[in-house]
């Protein structure tokens, strides 16, 4: 499977990894099974995926624990790039964000225990807080990197100004933020900066909560967070479905699914090194990998771009 280098590091990952928020993410998804979640991870490893993305807040804690259990039972730790994140803490029933050096150091050590490992390949500051200087937060992670506890430094959900502050000393290796064909705001300033600085960009929500997967119709209804998402409301929802139908024509000509074509389009972008689509079931892991078989022509790449620029 084709691999790509993460930023300026010595980490190499396959271009489609596993977003593990549905592995133990009981606070994010209803009726999850821990055993099915572990099967999702086992399936990913068995099919050549070597890049798994998780976070403290998935569970909380449970996703890291389940991944640690699978890595231990399979003996696949050394060949697997594990990314995790922290910034959340619970105080008096509230969820707060903390980027202080002391909190980040504490979080790394806690993640190491849950993952049953003595190093973390890629550690992200999950969200910016309101007070910590970003270069100080990253500086704390740089010290942990020098100690061998983490191998690469990431930030997530940072604005362009926060990213520049975080990267003041050139220590940031990866940025993870929302990006998909329906939400392209990072193209304006963030992606040019990450390219210039050799910072890998890893998008989340690449299928826009399923909207770009091609499974919805004008009669689809939603009871979860999508019900309040502007992409899924009224005329905007109908326009977005129309765009997906245009992609379906390209997919049909290639005997592929819409989701595969959309994921393949992202991999043609020079800014994007790897994707981490999620999966609730093992068969979804295998299906996501089919995107690697889709080869888009320059004309198809341009056509998709124009569809979603309209």
């Amino acid at each position: 499977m084709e691999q790509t280098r993460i930023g300026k590091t010595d980490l190499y990952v396959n271009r489609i990894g596993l977003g593990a928020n549905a592995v133990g993410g009981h606070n994010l998804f209803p009726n999850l099974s821990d055993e099915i979640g572990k099967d999702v991870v086992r399936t990913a490893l068995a099919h050549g995926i070597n890049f798994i993305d998780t976070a403290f807040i998935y569970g909380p804690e449970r996703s890291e624990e389940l991944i640690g259990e699978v890595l231990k039972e399979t003996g696949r730790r050394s060949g697997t790039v594990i990314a995790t994140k922290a910034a959340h803490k619970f105080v008096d029933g509230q969820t707060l964000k903390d980027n202080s050096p002391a909190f980040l150091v504490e979080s790394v050590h806690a993640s190491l225990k849950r993952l049953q490992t003595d190093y973390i390949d890629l550690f992200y500051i999950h969200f910016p807080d309101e007070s910590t200087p970003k270069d100080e937060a990253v500086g704390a992670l740089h010290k942990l990197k020098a100690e061998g506890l983490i191998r690469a430094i990431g930030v997530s959900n940072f604005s362009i100004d926060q990213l520049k502050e975080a990267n003041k000393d050139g220590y940031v290796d990866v940025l993870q933020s929302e990006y998909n064909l329906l939400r392209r705001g990072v193209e304006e300033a963030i992606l040019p900066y990450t390219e210039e600085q050799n910072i890998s960009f890893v998008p989340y929500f690449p299928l826009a909560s399923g909207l770009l997967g091609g499974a919805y119709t004008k009669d689809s209804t939603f009871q979860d967070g999508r019900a309040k998402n502007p992409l899924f409301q009224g005329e905007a929802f109908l326009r977005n479905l129309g765009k997906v139908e245009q992609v379906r024509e390209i997919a049909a000509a290639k005997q592929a699914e819409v989701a595969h074509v959309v994921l393949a389009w992202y991999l043609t972008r020079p800014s994007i090194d790897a994707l981490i689509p999620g999966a609730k079931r093992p068969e979804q892991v295998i299906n996501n990998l089919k995107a690697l078989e889709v080869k888009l022509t320059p004309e198809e790449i341009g056509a998709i771009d124009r569809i979603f620029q309209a």
Side-chain angles (χ1 to χ4, degrees):
M1 193 179 298
E2 179 186 358
Q3 294 194 338
T4 187
R5 185 181 181 185
I6 293 293
K8 304 173 288 289
T9 74
D10 60 355
L11 298 176
Y12 286 82
V13 300
N14 39 39
R15 301 204 70 194
I16 290 187
L18 171 66
N21 60 351
V23 176
H26 299 284
N27 58 334
L28 305 176
F29 302 98
N31 306 314
L32 289 180
S33 160
D34 281 358
E35 193 53 43
I36 292 176
K38 290 170 73 172
D39 279 340
V40 165
V41 179
R42 294 184 188 109
T43 300
L45 296 173
H47 285 79
I49 289 176
N50 77 329
F51 187 28
I52 299 177
D53 181 276
T54 184
F56 157 79
I57 201 62
Y58 304 162
E61 301 184 350
R62 192 60 179 146
S63 181
E64 290 180 323
E65 292 171 346
L66 295 177
I67 291 168
E69 290 172 16
V70 173
L71 291 173
K72 184 175 182 179
E73 76 178 35
T74 59
R76 298 288 293 274
R77 176 64 188 99
S78 63
T80 306
V81 174
I82 300 297
T84 193
K85 318 177 198 73
H88 300 85
K89 66 179 182 181
F90 306 112
V91 179
D92 298 329
Q94 292 184 303
T95 303
L96 306 178
K97 297 180 182 69
D98 190 346
N99 295 174
S100 67
F103 180 77
L104 293 175
V105 170
E106 176 187 325
S107 297
V108 167
H109 283 280
S111 289
L112 288 168
K113 290 181 181 179
R114 288 189 291 268
L115 289 163
Q116 301 187 55
T117 184
D118 55 6
Y119 67 95
I120 294 167
D121 298 282
L122 170 56
F123 190 88
Y124 291 95
I125 301 172
H126 201 164
F127 281 88
D129 69 9
E130 296 182 356
S131 58
T132 307
K134 303 310 164 211
D135 56 327
E136 290 185 13
V138 168
L141 296 182
H142 183 67
K143 291 179 181 178
L144 294 175
K145 184 177 179 180
E147 295 170 12
L149 296 181
I150 65 177
R151 298 177 65 193
I153 297 170
V155 296
S156 182
N157 300 295
F158 277 38
S159 69
I160 183 60
D161 290 338
Q162 290 166 336
L163 175 59
K164 288 180 177 179
E165 181 184 352
N167 196 44
K168 179 180 176 181
D169 299 305
Y171 295 155
V172 175
D173 298 304
V174 189
L175 171 68
Q176 185 176 137
S177 290
E178 181 176 4
Y179 174 66
N180 55 62
L181 280 163
L182 294 169
R183 289 228 167 113
R184 304 178 68 171
V186 298
E187 292 180 351
E188 183 176 346
I190 287 180
L191 293 187
Y193 179 78
T194 57
E195 285 186 58
E196 172 192 302
Q197 297 293 315
N198 197 14
I199 295 172
S200 286
F201 181 79
V202 178
Y204 66 78
F205 291 162
L207 295 178
S209 298
L211 183 49
L212 292 171
Y216 301 143
T217 70
K218 61 182 179 62
D219 298 317
S220 297
T221 58
F222 309 97
Q223 305 300 321
D224 54 17
R226 287 170 292 187
K228 297 180 180 180
N229 187 327
L231 296 178
F232 290 79
Q233 294 179 356
E235 289 299 318
F237 181 55
L238 296 179
R239 286 196 301 272
N240 292 334
L241 288 178
K243 295 175 181 180
V244 171
E245 288 308 306
Q246 294 180 68
V247 177
R248 193 184 305 278
E249 295 178 12
I250 297 173
K254 293 184 170 298
Q255 298 183 314
E257 297 178 15
V258 171
H260 300 152
V261 170
V262 170
L263 295 177
W265 186 87
Y266 298 135
L267 294 179
T268 69
R269 305 294 86 190
S271 313
I272 297 177
D273 289 320
L275 303 174
I276 47 168
K280 293 181 181 177
R281 302 183 305 277
E283 58 268 27
Q284 292 176 322
V285 176
I286 299 169
N287 189 52
N288 287 337
L289 288 172
K290 292 180 181 178
L292 296 173
E293 301 171 8
V294 175
K295 305 303 179 185
L296 298 173
T297 67
E299 292 75 21
E300 290 165 338
I301 293 168
I304 294 169
D305 187 34
R306 289 189 294 274
I307 289 168
F308 289 92
Q309 289 285 8

